[in-house]
Amino acid sequence: MYTEKVMDHFSNPRNVGEIENADGVGEVGNASCGDIMKIFLKVEDNVIKDIKFKTFGCGAAIATSSMVTEMAIGKTLDEAMELTNAAVAEALDGLPANKMHCSNLAADALHEAIKNYRENHS
Amino acid sequence: MYTEKVMDHFSNPRNVGEIENADGVGEVGNASCGDIMKIFLKVEDNVIKDIKFKTFGCGAAIATSSMVTEMAIGKTLDEAMELTNAAVAEALDGLPANKMHCSNLAADALHEAIKNYRENHS
Amino acid sequence: MKKIYMDYNATTPVRPEVLDAILPFYREEFGNPSSVHWAGRAVSGAVEKAREQVAKLINCSPAEVVFTSCGSEGDNMALKGTVAALRDKGNHIITTGVEHPAVLETCHYLEKNGCDVTFLTVDSDGMVDLRQLEDAITEKTILISAMWGNNETGTLFPVEEIGRIARKHKVRFHTDAVQAVGKIPVDVQKAGADLLVLSGHKIGAPKGVGAIYIRRGTRMTPLIHGGHQERNRRAGTHNVAGIVGLGMACELAGQNLEQNAERMAHLRDKLEQGILNQIPDVKVNGHRTQRLPNTLNVSFAYIEGESLLLNFDMKGVAASSGSACTSGSLEPSHVMGAMGVDVALAHSSTRFSLGPDSTEEDVDYILEILPPIIQRLREMSPLYPG
Amino acid sequence: MKKIYMDYNATTPVRPEVLDAILPFYREEFGNPSSVHWAGRAVSGAVEKAREQVAKLINCSPAEVVFTSCGSEGDNMALKGTVAALRDKGNHIITTGVEHPAVLETCHYLEKNGCDVTFLTVDSDGMVDLRQLEDAITEKTILISAMWGNNETGTLFPVEEIGRIARKHKVRFHTDAVQAVGKIPVDVQKAGADLLVLSGHKIGAPKGVGAIYIRRGTRMTPLIHGGHQERNRRAGTHNVAGIVGLGMACELAGQNLEQNAERMAHLRDKLEQGILNQIPDVKVNGHRTQRLPNTLNVSFAYIEGESLLLNFDMKGVAASSGSACTSGSLEPSHVMGAMGVDVALAHSSTRFSLGPDSTEEDVDYILEILPPIIQRLREMSPLYPG
Ligand SMILES: Cc1ncc(COP(=O)(O)O)c(C=O)c1O
Ligand SMILES: Cc1ncc(COP(=O)(O)O)c(C=O)c1O
Ligand code: FES
Ligand code: FES
């Protein structure tokens, strides 16, 4: 049911973990299925230098978490804010129809983390 | 679905035909399935000397017709009047449940033929 | 003894290619298609492939195909599912007097439960009258259910025109195509059908599997509630082997549709002519041109159907009959009755239905054994004038 | 890669003896059991033999067995058929919150159509309270529907006592025994059941066949109207191969019932102990003694079920989960919910269900691969305290 890309990111997730003294932290829960995702950021000169995630959720949730961290790293915060759920799903070569909602977790958590950074540093 | 006895009487029915100038003729129709049976008697000294049948009906109807003629021949009219549908069915080693009504044809036609004989000769 | 099967409208042997396609799903591929693990995955792909194969044969999209356990389930679902879903719209159903019991008995049940049902009459060929159909439509009409091809006589209804009338009056159109699918081209778009039912065992797939086409956007209440299978339209663990077999059978049927139809029609016509030439007092039942290519229904006057079948059977020939005696029911074929065939001839009606494997030799053999059997039974019949 | 199947409650492989019994009915014996000729006769005998085999396993008479296409159909028939037949008696149904969707969804449908349904609660072991059951009975109660063994947790309801209460109050008793039949002794007389549903694919028969026991004299409206099959209780051409397979599977299950149950319980207990000994923060879901011998349901705290299943799958292990993520539905297992398991732990619930072919090696392998998988996933979890 999952694409190869999804299974790759699910079985070898990139950037799992926490960042101590992170510059920004975002946590979102998926209202529809009760799953949870947390993103940690290290930011320098408005650029995401390091990013880590922790996820309690299905295969799609873990894969999108992993993918979004790969897509975000090295981007400016403004660029990262434009990353959409659809873009993440597309980068994974698609998700099953009943799993599209899982991709919401990833981009939302990233955006929350950036907002959190901006609140802390404004 | 039919016993060997039924199939034997069905495939080699005994006493098929008509008796010209029969002493008694009985015809019955089976109200429930539209089938028809006709019995012809030759009677001497109150004993059935010859008997023939014609039947438009299912395998069970033909087999019971054949059987009833075999059972009746040589019997006195009083004895023959006591032949029941159940006895005919039993002599055939039974009939399927949904075919029990067919056996009604045979004994009824025999009884009608005897009554017809008695009416003609009283 | 020679065995000649002339009862393809009753059921068909499973085609060897179908059996080959099925077997892996009884062995290594035993998973539940709803499962996420290896055992489920292979299997769910196979179910979706079969859905495409069915969709292709009847020209719809795979998402419009719902798998069922048989034609009867499909017909029950079409009728009861429509009545439950469109209760707010109306309660009137139009059908015909010659439908299969899966439609007729369901209609009788629905009548007892608040529906009005119009049973259209047919003429002596078993054909409906389109004007009568159109006149029967009221504001409360929610469904027209008219079969594509009749199982007893082979008479084909003008489904495209029925579909046009249904669309014109915005009434849903269901067609029981159990006998038509695989024998003649069936196209749900051309027919303008909203619902269409087919059954696997009539086309070389196993017994116990079927499908219903549900046009996208057609509101339906499920007949079987429960799990999320079939997009919530039919619960129950998939009959994977059966479904795979149905898919393969549809693919095969599509490949050889025209040739098979021509071959069968040729043999059927030869049988028909042979019977009419050799045997007096025979009546062909059903439409002479608008008819399934494989079906021949004849009444041999003065002879009751079951006794004829048993005699055929003793010679290895399998056919079927519209006689009440065959079924153990009380009335002979309701189809013959609706066509105005008299009761004795209805009792005499005999159906030969051919299949893709039928041969010239089969037909020759039947034509050889038939006359003496008929003669013998007629001589036993009190109705026979001699 | 090693493949270990631990999902027998989802479906089972077809037993080789069952496949052997089935195959002739895909080849030479292809007739329709309703036909009177040679092609039908052999087959109708086989269907009746299967009926006896099923009857023997559950201790009823063959005439009380009606073949269906699956457990879901059986449950729908039991509920809807009772409601339609007993409309004059009442409209109240009592069931439990942990039934299979085939019962629950049907009850929700019936609720929308004029029935009152009481959903009994269960305790944290998934057990019903008999007093609560008895108190729920009113003058309008027509049916108690309570499952024999729960598919997710294996918890066994006290069916004999439920049956006694039902009889005492002259209420009909239906039990969904899909998970119990073939795993533990099931006796409809002892249970005092009026209706009982089973499904072939849970006991080594093919998918797409099942049966419902209908106690003699129990008024039922058919779910599928039409032909005269199954004494007018279920129309549709018989799934002959499936039915023959179901019969054989019942016979096999009956032969080895106790030994299989003991073997499975031993292995299940070993798996349970092994998990509890090696892995912290694990909760066993379901009753610890009143439980199917083959079922183990555990929640691995902090881990979501689907991600666990996928990791198992990568190691060749097939199991299942009560997580919403597995089904793509919005809510995690309603069974866990009814037992008061908190949402996160419900998401974590994982079911291992064993079968007669499960081995010690299977269990050892799982116990070997499990700890690192759990460790890895917990380290990825934002809920894990570390
Ligand atoms: C307890 C229970 N009831 C009913 C069913 C439905 O059976 P089937 O899948 O044959 O429709 C299942 C199986 O999923 C079950 O476990
Ligand atoms: C026209 C028609 N409709 C419906 C059915 C019922 O199909 P099934 O036997 O698969 O239930 C049949 C077959 O008997 C049929 O010929
Ligand atoms: S005589 Fe008609 S069913 Fe036997
Ligand atoms: S995160 Fe729950 S279904 Fe994907």
Side-chain angles (χ1 to χ4, degrees):
Chain A
M1 76 192 193
Y2 288 130
T3 65
E4 267 179 49
K5 273 256 179 74
V6 172
M7 285 312 293
D8 173 34
H9 276 266
F10 170 72
S11 32
N12 305 297
R14 288 42 150 185
N15 307 311
V16 177
E18 304 190 9
I19 297 175
E20 279 189 43
N21 306 317
D23 299 325
V25 179
E27 177 170 340
V28 296
N30 193 327
S32 56
C33 66
D35 295 335
I36 294 167
M37 183 174 174
K38 215 162 165 178
I39 282 212
F40 305 85
L41 295 179
K42 199 88 211 161
V43 179
E44 278 176 32
D45 298 336
N46 263 323
V47 169
I48 298 176
K49 281 290 168 191
D50 196 10
I51 178 167
K52 298 255 186 236
F53 81 89
K54 285 207 164 181
T55 293
F56 171 87
C58 71
I62 290 175
T64 49
S65 307
S66 166
M67 179 53 91
V68 85
T69 60
E70 282 229 312
M71 291 170 85
I73 202 162
K75 285 211 163 53
T76 66
L77 295 180
D78 285 347
E79 284 165 350
M81 280 304 281
E82 299 203 339
L83 264 177
T84 61
N85 302 319
V88 179
E90 203 181 302
L92 288 164
D93 293 341
L95 288 171
N98 62 0
K99 291 291 188 175
M100 285 307 293
H101 73 276
C102 315
S103 65
N104 297 351
L105 276 179
D108 291 356
L110 173 65
H111 299 160
E112 286 302 318
I114 294 172
K115 279 190 219 153
N116 174 257
Y117 165 83
R118 285 177 169 160
E119 279 163 20
N120 295 345
H121 300 78
S122 61
Chain B
M1 74 189 195
Y2 288 130
T3 65
E4 269 179 48
K5 272 258 180 72
V6 172
M7 286 311 291
D8 174 33
H9 276 267
F10 171 72
S11 32
N12 305 297
R14 288 41 152 185
N15 307 311
V16 178
E18 303 191 10
I19 296 176
E20 278 189 45
N21 306 316
D23 299 325
V25 179
E27 177 170 340
V28 295
N30 192 326
S32 56
C33 65
D35 295 337
I36 294 168
M37 183 174 174
K38 216 162 165 178
I39 282 213
F40 306 84
L41 294 181
K42 199 88 211 162
V43 179
E44 278 175 33
D45 298 334
N46 264 324
V47 169
I48 297 176
K49 282 290 167 187
D50 197 10
I51 179 166
K52 299 250 185 242
F53 80 90
K54 285 206 164 182
T55 292
F56 171 87
C58 71
I62 290 176
T64 50
S65 307
S66 166
M67 179 53 92
V68 87
T69 60
E70 283 228 313
M71 291 171 85
I73 203 162
K75 283 211 165 51
T76 65
L77 295 181
D78 285 348
E79 285 167 349
M81 279 305 281
E82 300 201 339
L83 267 177
T84 59
N85 303 319
V88 179
E90 203 181 301
L92 289 164
D93 293 343
L95 288 171
N98 63 359
K99 290 290 187 175
M100 284 308 293
H101 74 275
C102 316
S103 65
N104 296 350
L105 276 179
D108 289 358
L110 174 64
H111 299 162
E112 286 302 319
I114 294 173
K115 278 189 220 155
N116 175 255
Y117 165 81
R118 286 179 168 161
E119 280 162 21
N120 295 343
H121 299 79
S122 61
Chain C
M1 187 176 55
K2 230 185 168 102
K3 287 199 171 172
I4 292 179
Y5 191 70
M6 283 274 163
D7 205 9
Y8 281 83
N9 284 11
T11 196
T12 64
V14 172
R15 300 197 65 80
E17 302 93 326
V18 168
L19 183 54
D20 287 345
I22 283 175
L23 282 177
F25 297 92
Y26 281 147
R27 295 186 173 135
E28 45 291 352
E29 307 294 1
F30 64 88
N32 188 325
S34 303
S35 301
V36 301
H37 47 62
W38 52 264
R41 261 189 325 262
V43 168
S44 83
V47 168
E48 295 319 309
K49 181 177 163 206
R51 203 184 301 282
E52 285 167 22
Q53 288 167 314
V54 174
K56 187 159 174 231
L57 184 64
I58 60 172
N59 191 26
C60 67
S61 95
E64 295 173 316
V65 172
V66 172
F67 291 112
T68 63
S69 69
C70 59
S72 299
E73 181 191 328
D75 283 330
N76 274 261
M77 182 169 168
L79 292 160
K80 296 176 186 169
T82 294
V83 167
L86 302 187
R87 196 159 283 162
D88 50 330
K89 249 201 98 206
N91 67 341
H92 179 232
I93 297 172
I94 302 172
T95 188
T96 82
V98 294
E99 300 294 311
H100 188 271
V103 168
L104 282 185
E105 292 302 316
T106 303
C107 283
H108 290 140
Y109 166 76
L110 291 169
E111 267 188 319
K112 284 199 215 108
N113 285 272
C115 286
D116 282 336
V117 184
T118 301
F119 297 92
L120 300 177
T121 59
V122 296
D123 66 16
S124 58
D125 293 334
M127 191 54 79
V128 279
D129 175 355
L130 293 173
R131 169 131 344 154
Q132 199 200 350
L133 165 64
E134 195 156 5
D135 287 349
I137 297 173
T138 72
E139 291 216 321
K140 296 247 170 207
T141 308
I142 52 173
L143 183 69
I144 297 169
S145 179
M147 71 203 308
W148 197 306
N150 187 274
N151 45 308
E152 292 191 25
T153 61
T155 296
L156 295 168
F157 279 166
V159 279
E160 293 186 25
E161 286 156 59
I162 297 173
R164 237 187 321 270
I165 291 171
R167 267 199 309 281
K168 182 173 137 196
H169 295 273
K170 296 202 171 54
V171 172
R172 187 182 287 191
F173 174 32
H174 163 55
T175 183
D176 173 346
V178 167
Q179 292 294 348
V181 166
K183 293 180 189 139
I184 56 171
V186 165
D187 181 327
V188 292
Q189 310 307 338
K190 270 202 204 152
D194 301 298
L195 301 166
L196 177 145
V197 161
L198 59 93
S199 180
H201 72 100
K202 309 287 188 187
I203 59 170
K207 298 177 203 2
V209 66
I212 179 169
Y213 156 77
I214 304 179
R215 183 180 291 277
R216 195 188 314 280
T218 305
R219 269 195 294 149
M220 287 285 285
T221 301
L223 185 67
I224 301 181
H225 288 86
H228 295 299
Q229 292 93 347
E230 299 293 297
R231 302 176 173 217
N232 297 316
R233 291 169 298 183
R234 202 279 190 188
T237 297
H238 289 93
N239 175 354
V240 176
I243 289 170
V244 166
L246 177 60
M248 178 56 84
C250 285
E251 182 169 329
L252 293 171
Q255 283 165 6
N256 305 305
L257 202 53
E258 319 268 291
Q259 302 100 288
N260 281 340
E262 265 175 46
R263 267 197 76 247
M264 293 192 299
H266 162 75
L267 293 175
R268 189 267 317 270
D269 293 344
K270 178 175 168 169
L271 182 60
E272 178 173 306
Q273 275 314 310
I275 290 173
L276 291 171
N277 292 342
Q278 291 188 68
I279 301 175
D281 298 330
V282 169
K283 179 179 179 312
V284 176
N285 301 307
H287 202 283
R288 291 301 273 272
T289 59
Q290 298 304 305
R291 185 163 48 151
L292 287 170
N294 78 319
T295 305
L296 171 62
N297 190 308
V298 279
S299 286
F300 298 95
Y302 319 125
I303 296 180
E304 188 280 326
E306 190 197 282
S307 62
L308 186 56
L309 290 195
L310 290 171
N311 273 281
F312 281 167
D313 186 39
M314 293 189 287
K315 297 282 186 190
V317 175
S320 84
S321 156
S323 167
C325 302
T326 319
S327 59
S329 75
L330 301 184
E331 299 285 333
S333 157
H334 68 281
V335 175
M336 296 297 133
M339 289 161 63
V341 176
D342 86 39
V343 177
L345 278 181
H347 265 292
S348 306
S349 81
T350 306
R351 180 185 71 187
F352 301 93
S353 51
L354 290 75
D357 299 327
S358 300
T359 63
E360 297 265 349
E361 293 73 53
D362 293 349
V363 170
D364 292 339
Y365 180 77
I366 293 177
L367 290 174
E368 186 192 316
I369 64 160
L370 197 51
I373 292 177
I374 300 291
Q375 192 53 31
R376 194 175 143 263
L377 286 171
R378 283 188 171 166
E379 276 164 12
M380 205 183 290
S381 170
L383 304 174
Y384 186 50
Chain D
M1 189 174 55
K2 230 185 168 103
K3 286 197 172 174
I4 292 178
Y5 190 71
M6 283 274 164
D7 205 9
Y8 280 84
N9 283 11
T11 197
T12 65
V14 172
R15 301 198 65 81
E17 302 92 326
V18 168
L19 183 54
D20 288 345
I22 284 177
L23 282 178
F25 297 92
Y26 281 148
R27 295 185 173 136
E28 44 294 351
E29 307 296 358
F30 65 87
N32 187 323
S34 302
S35 300
V36 301
H37 48 61
W38 51 265
R41 263 192 319 266
V43 168
S44 81
V47 168
E48 295 319 310
K49 182 178 162 205
R51 203 184 302 283
E52 286 166 22
Q53 289 166 315
V54 174
K56 187 160 175 230
L57 184 64
I58 61 171
N59 191 27
C60 67
S61 96
E64 295 173 316
V65 172
V66 172
F67 291 112
T68 62
S69 69
C70 59
S72 299
E73 181 190 329
D75 283 330
N76 274 260
M77 182 170 168
L79 292 159
K80 296 176 186 170
T82 294
V83 167
L86 301 187
R87 195 158 286 161
D88 51 329
K89 252 201 95 207
N91 68 341
H92 179 231
I93 297 171
I94 302 173
T95 187
T96 80
V98 295
E99 300 293 311
H100 188 270
V103 168
L104 282 184
E105 292 301 317
T106 303
C107 283
H108 289 139
Y109 166 76
L110 291 169
E111 267 189 318
K112 284 198 215 110
N113 286 273
C115 285
D116 282 335
V117 185
T118 302
F119 298 91
L120 300 177
T121 58
V122 295
D123 67 16
S124 59
D125 292 334
M127 191 54 79
V128 278
D129 176 355
L130 293 174
R131 169 134 340 158
Q132 197 199 352
L133 165 65
E134 195 156 6
D135 287 349
I137 297 174
T138 72
E139 291 218 319
K140 297 247 170 208
T141 308
I142 53 173
L143 184 69
I144 297 168
S145 180
M147 70 203 309
W148 197 305
N150 186 275
N151 45 306
E152 291 191 25
T153 61
T155 297
L156 295 168
F157 279 166
V159 279
E160 292 187 24
E161 286 156 62
I162 297 172
R164 237 186 321 269
I165 292 171
R167 266 199 310 282
K168 181 172 140 198
H169 294 273
K170 298 203 169 54
V171 172
R172 187 180 288 189
F173 174 34
H174 162 56
T175 183
D176 173 346
V178 167
Q179 292 293 349
V181 167
K183 292 178 190 143
I184 57 171
V186 165
D187 181 326
V188 293
Q189 310 307 338
K190 270 202 205 151
D194 301 297
L195 301 167
L196 177 145
V197 162
L198 59 91
S199 180
H201 72 99
K202 308 287 188 186
I203 59 170
K207 298 177 201 6
V209 66
I212 178 168
Y213 156 77
I214 304 178
R215 182 180 291 276
R216 195 187 315 279
T218 305
R219 270 196 294 150
M220 287 285 285
T221 301
L223 184 67
I224 301 182
H225 288 85
H228 295 298
Q229 292 93 348
E230 299 293 298
R231 303 177 173 214
N232 298 315
R233 291 169 298 181
R234 200 280 191 187
T237 298
H238 288 94
N239 175 355
V240 176
I243 288 170
V244 166
L246 177 60
M248 179 56 85
C250 284
E251 182 169 331
L252 294 171
Q255 282 165 8
N256 305 304
L257 202 54
E258 320 267 290
Q259 303 100 291
N260 280 341
E262 265 175 46
R263 268 197 76 245
M264 293 192 299
H266 162 76
L267 293 175
R268 190 269 316 271
D269 293 345
K270 178 174 169 170
L271 182 60
E272 178 172 307
Q273 276 314 311
I275 290 173
L276 291 171
N277 292 343
Q278 292 189 66
I279 302 176
D281 298 331
V282 170
K283 180 177 178 314
V284 175
N285 301 308
H287 202 282
R288 290 302 271 273
T289 60
Q290 298 304 304
R291 187 164 47 153
L292 288 169
N294 78 318
T295 306
L296 171 63
N297 190 309
V298 279
S299 287
F300 298 96
Y302 319 125
I303 295 179
E304 189 281 326
E306 190 196 282
S307 63
L308 185 56
L309 290 195
L310 289 172
N311 273 283
F312 282 166
D313 186 40
M314 292 189 288
K315 297 281 186 191
V317 175
S320 84
S321 156
S323 167
C325 301
T326 319
S327 58
S329 76
L330 299 184
E331 298 287 333
S333 160
H334 68 281
V335 175
M336 296 298 133
M339 289 161 61
V341 175
D342 87 38
V343 178
L345 277 181
H347 266 292
S348 307
S349 82
T350 306
R351 180 185 70 188
F352 301 93
S353 50
L354 290 74
D357 299 326
S358 300
T359 62
E360 298 265 350
E361 293 74 51
D362 293 350
V363 170
D364 291 339
Y365 180 76
I366 294 176
L367 290 174
E368 186 191 314
I369 63 160
L370 197 52
I373 292 177
I374 300 291
Q375 192 53 29
R376 194 172 142 266
L377 286 171
R378 283 187 171 167
E379 276 165 9
M380 207 184 288
S381 170
L383 303 175
Y384 186 49

